[in-house]
Amino acid sequence: MPRIVLMAPGGNIAKHAYKLQEKLGNKKHFQVVHGYMEGAVAYARKYLDEDVDVIIARGNTAKLMRASKLRFPIVTIPISNTEIINSIRKAKELCRGPDSSIGYIGLEDAIQGVQEFLEILNYSVTFYPVNSSRDIREQVVKAKSEGVTVVIGGIHTQQFAREQGIDSVLLESSLYSISQAYEHAKEVQRSLLQNRKKMEERNTLIDSISEGIVSISEHGRITLCNSPAQNFLRIEERLLRGARFDKIFKRTEAEAIARTMNGGSRIANHPFSIQGAAYELDINPVIVHKKSKGVIATIRKRPNGGEAAAHEEAAASLEAGIVRFEDLIGESLPFQIAVSTAKRFAELDEHLLLAGEFGAGKETFAACIHHAGNRASGLFVARNAAALTIDDMLAAHRGTLYLDEISELPAEMRQVALELAIRKSVPAGRGERRNADVRIIAGTTQDLAEATAAGRFDRRLYYALNPFPLRLPTLAERRGDIPELVRAFLGSLNLEFGKEVRLDPAAIERLGGCRWPGNILELKNLCRRLIALSEPDAVLTEARIGVELGDGSYFRSSSERNSATEGIPLPALPNERAVVINRKKYTFDDLRALDAYYKGKKDLLAEKLGVSRSTLWRCFKMMDEAGGGS
């Protein structure tokens, strides 16, 4: 039976995991294994079989398992603010005098959130970031040399602290955090099972086609080849899948595929031969947002003389121009909250308002919502609101209409758009109307609430389009995603330009420190410029990046950005008893702890959280409605 496996590095996590296992009542589907760091990786490789769907792990173990490129998705056990506070309190109890100090040793990408939370509580803690088990020993030694008397961290931190003769506190995971990780793993598992079913259906359909079908990714790798293609090419599937197309096809055909991939032009009925047998090759680009993202090659036997060959059209579900949630790149908390919320909105079939800066991906999110909803069989029509026509509205009938920069909608179209949103019809002349069952997703970079209050935007249209607002994070708010985005852009652009340009780690780190006022679009444009101007096999250094960026706006510190939903508390991830305030997540336990710390003084707590008193009351109301009140 497919199952979820939790790697328990110590007794505390194992104890809670066994409690959860007992609560679930099915040990076959949720397995607990004792394993830590390299030992956990070795166990997974040797003993975990194809029946395992997801692995749950914590901290450095989860990071190492991801880096080891195991075939299982890895879900990380979160560290809650409540767990951090409990560890700080235990550390304070070990402090023996005024000269005592506390150090926190943890993953570099997790420290920022911890630091911001502890600053609210006015706790004085020195942070020592690590990226691997080797770093932990060095940071413990450094902490001791800097006068730290108590360190907080994981199992390795405790071990090295004992060697150095200083006290330590284990940052323990609670049953709540492990339950959260399990629920996340269940979501991943459900998604995997759905994808497997779709893949089996697609493969069955593709194998039933008499023509050979070969799908080639934007990176030049073969991702799919049906049975006829394997027979025509005389190569087994295991050798075809993942191979570069220019290693499989002859030079002339490989050049034709590369031209289509780079220029997006279709090639039909290209004659070629395989071991003396005559074939024809069709090459069709897969276009996403006007960019080539790969090709589909169709192979068929060339008819002899006047023989008419009967070829059924490929009915495979290889859809060009479609972007889905699983195609999105990013693991940062603000981005994952946006994706999770968007997935829930996709199921509602309601009008939506997407707020976000230019280049933050509003149209991409709108397309994902469309293709994940019950209107996926209809058209997704994207238009700038300033150029909207009634024909656009009719074209989106039974589909989705995305209106970018809704604040620029012409005055004469506002009433029409309002009637479309409310009555699902549009004027057709001579007093007649035509039905247009359309879901509207509006995008804006402006504060529509302020514009509506000032009379610059139609109040009725604002409320018609704004039942479910979603603010997309800026790239500056999701800096942790920049390395993965850069790698993805480099892969596709290298293929487009026929190069193998790379960035060294310091260069990627420097990109992570930029302001990015143009967000993802600006980052991608920079990557395009770097590759276009570089030698084919260049390795771009931090110095090279600095020359390209100069002293422009990239390195200015991010200023506070106004948005349509800034400061409004939003629900966190599904099944999570938490809210997000000003892009920071607070569990209900966090709010209660903070409220107790400030002795119920809501004015002071609101000031520390950077929100108004009314916003703070909305948070507590949300908590009470969810049954999280004290």
Side-chain angles (χ1 to χ4, degrees):
M1 296 291 289
R3 64 188 189 275
I4 296 170
V5 174
L6 184 143
M7 288 289 177
N12 172 259
I13 291 180
K15 178 185 70 176
H16 292 314
Y18 286 128
K19 282 185 180 179
L20 178 60
Q21 190 182 61
E22 184 178 348
K23 179 181 176 182
L24 295 172
N26 194 333
K27 296 183 179 180
K28 293 181 180 179
H29 288 201
F30 180 52
Q31 180 182 355
V32 181
V33 173
H34 291 265
Y36 183 63
M37 298 296 289
E38 290 81 3
V41 173
Y43 183 93
R45 284 180 171 154
K46 186 173 182 179
Y47 296 110
L48 298 188
D49 55 28
E50 59 185 12
D51 287 338
V52 174
D53 286 327
V54 188
I55 295 177
I56 300 173
R58 189 179 121 161
N60 277 315
T61 300
K63 186 170 184 176
L64 179 61
M65 296 186 91
R66 286 196 186 93
S68 301
K69 301 198 180 298
L70 300 172
R71 58 188 179 87
F72 315 101
I74 311 298
V75 170
T76 302
I77 299 172
I79 299 174
S80 72
N81 291 333
T82 301
E83 292 162 0
I84 294 168
I85 290 176
N86 290 336
S87 298
I88 296 290
R89 287 172 176 166
K90 291 178 181 178
K92 283 194 167 185
E93 292 174 0
L94 294 175
C95 292
R96 298 182 175 85
D99 294 332
S100 299
S101 63
I102 300 172
Y104 179 95
I105 297 176
L107 287 176
E108 187 171 18
D109 51 9
I111 273 186
Q112 184 177 0
V114 175
Q115 191 170 10
E116 291 174 350
F117 182 73
L118 293 181
E119 285 175 355
I120 295 175
L121 297 178
N122 295 322
Y123 281 143
S124 177
V125 177
T126 305
F127 293 90
Y128 297 91
V130 296
N131 286 311
S132 68
S133 57
R134 292 190 301 272
D135 297 338
I136 298 175
R137 182 190 297 272
E138 295 174 1
Q139 293 291 45
V140 170
V141 172
K142 181 180 178 183
K144 181 181 180 181
S145 69
E146 293 179 352
V148 170
T149 55
V150 184
V151 290
I152 299 171
I155 292 176
H156 270 181
T157 299
Q158 280 196 315
Q159 175 186 335
F160 297 141
R162 281 194 297 270
E163 292 178 3
Q164 295 298 316
I166 59 175
D167 292 326
S168 63
V169 171
L170 179 65
L171 182 56
E172 298 180 337
S173 293
S174 64
L175 177 60
Y176 173 73
S177 293
I178 293 171
S179 299
Q180 273 188 300
Y182 176 76
E183 291 301 324
H184 185 190
K186 289 290 289 182
E187 288 183 12
V188 174
Q189 186 184 50
R190 282 191 289 269
S191 178
L192 285 173
L193 294 176
Q194 290 173 0
N195 288 339
R196 286 173 191 165
K197 180 175 180 293
K198 290 179 181 178
M199 185 65 71
E200 287 300 321
E201 291 172 347
R202 183 183 70 170
N203 289 343
T204 301
L205 178 59
I206 290 174
D207 282 338
S208 70
I209 299 169
S210 60
E211 296 176 331
I213 304 293
V214 180
S215 174
I216 302 171
S217 74
E218 59 187 304
H219 305 298
R221 301 284 179 180
I222 294 176
T223 59
L224 179 147
C225 50
N226 67 351
S227 295
Q230 298 166 41
N231 294 332
F232 293 156
L233 294 170
R234 295 167 171 79
I235 302 176
E236 296 179 19
E237 182 186 19
R238 64 183 180 84
L239 300 176
L240 277 172
R241 192 180 295 271
R244 284 194 57 84
F245 71 88
D246 53 5
K247 302 297 183 184
I248 301 299
F249 290 91
K250 294 180 181 178
R251 179 177 177 180
T252 301
E253 286 66 56
E255 288 177 350
I257 291 172
R259 285 198 303 273
T260 298
M261 192 173 293
N262 293 330
S265 58
R266 180 179 184 273
I267 296 176
N269 304 319
H270 170 83
F272 76 114
S273 63
I274 303 174
Q275 297 183 13
Y279 295 91
E280 287 180 346
L281 181 66
D282 290 346
I283 309 169
N284 293 282
V286 177
I287 304 297
V288 179
H289 295 309
K290 300 180 181 181
K291 296 291 184 183
S292 177
K293 293 295 184 180
V295 299
I296 303 300
T298 305
I299 306 171
R300 58 180 169 273
K301 289 184 177 179
R302 198 186 314 165
N304 295 320
E307 290 184 9
H311 301 290
E312 295 183 0
E313 273 194 39
S317 58
L318 298 169
E319 301 165 295
I322 291 180
V323 59
R324 303 185 187 279
F325 283 116
E326 52 263 34
D327 300 321
L328 301 181
I329 297 173
E331 297 295 330
S332 64
L333 177 62
F335 184 71
Q336 284 300 311
I337 289 174
V339 170
S340 175
T341 305
K343 286 180 178 178
R344 284 181 281 172
F345 286 174
E347 302 171 355
L348 300 178
D349 198 30
E350 299 278 355
H351 303 314
L352 306 176
L353 178 63
L354 302 183
E357 291 187 358
F358 174 77
K362 296 185 291 298
E363 183 174 336
T364 299
F365 262 75
C368 290
I369 290 169
H370 167 75
H371 292 300
N374 58 15
R375 293 178 178 266
S377 59
L379 288 178
F380 174 73
V381 179
R383 294 289 184 269
N384 188 288
L388 180 66
T389 67
I390 291 179
D391 287 341
D392 295 330
M393 299 178 178
L394 293 172
H397 180 52
R398 293 178 182 168
T400 301
L401 177 63
Y402 172 68
L403 298 178
D404 193 25
E405 293 299 353
I406 188 66
S407 61
E408 298 178 5
L409 187 68
E412 63 272 15
M413 291 299 293
R414 292 175 187 171
Q415 181 63 32
V416 179
L418 179 64
E419 292 173 353
L420 175 68
I422 296 176
R423 299 174 58 182
K424 295 190 179 297
S425 66
V426 295
R430 299 181 180 179
E432 298 181 356
R433 302 189 66 80
R434 290 186 60 181
N435 291 334
D437 180 9
V438 174
R439 180 187 199 178
I440 300 175
I441 302 179
T444 182
T445 59
Q446 307 299 316
D447 186 340
L448 281 193
E450 189 276 330
T452 301
R456 297 192 303 274
F457 190 77
D458 187 285
R459 182 178 298 273
R460 298 170 301 167
L461 184 58
Y462 172 71
Y463 288 115
L465 299 179
N466 192 37
F468 294 95
L470 172 60
R471 177 184 175 274
L472 302 188
T474 65
L475 188 55
E477 293 169 330
R478 42 180 299 213
R479 295 184 186 279
D481 295 334
I482 290 178
E484 189 176 358
L485 287 167
V486 169
R487 283 189 285 270
F489 293 154
L490 289 183
S492 60
L493 292 168
N494 270 326
L495 188 62
E496 179 180 338
F497 287 97
K499 298 183 178 182
E500 295 185 2
V501 178
R502 293 179 292 118
L503 269 68
D504 70 17
I508 294 179
E509 182 178 354
R510 184 162 188 181
L511 291 177
C514 299
R515 178 172 176 263
W516 303 117
N519 295 288
I520 297 174
L521 181 60
E522 186 177 18
L523 176 62
K524 186 171 184 179
N525 286 343
L526 174 67
C527 291
R528 172 177 289 275
R529 189 162 69 249
L530 288 168
I531 291 180
L533 299 177
S534 297
E535 295 299 318
D537 58 350
V539 177
L540 303 183
T541 64
E542 180 183 7
R544 172 70 177 84
I545 296 295
V547 170
E548 183 64 32
L549 297 178
D551 296 323
S553 62
Y554 294 91
F555 283 101
R556 295 174 190 161
S557 60
S558 290
S559 59
E560 290 296 321
R561 293 170 167 88
N562 294 324
S563 73
T565 57
E566 185 73 31
I568 299 177
L570 299 173
L573 296 173
N575 304 316
E576 195 168 22
R577 297 163 63 79
V579 293
V580 176
I581 307 171
N582 283 338
R583 304 185 295 277
K584 296 188 184 110
K585 184 177 73 173
Y586 297 87
T587 67
F588 294 164
D589 287 341
D590 295 338
L591 289 177
R592 283 194 294 269
L594 288 168
D595 191 40
Y597 184 86
Y598 290 108
K599 300 179 179 179
K601 296 177 181 178
K602 298 296 190 292
D603 287 333
L604 184 57
L605 178 55
E607 179 183 348
K608 291 292 182 181
L609 293 176
V611 297
S612 66
R613 184 182 175 89
S614 60
T615 296
L616 181 62
W617 278 114
R618 282 200 294 271
C619 295
F620 279 90
K621 181 180 179 182
M622 194 179 297
M623 182 170 68
D624 291 339
E625 290 173 349
S630 55

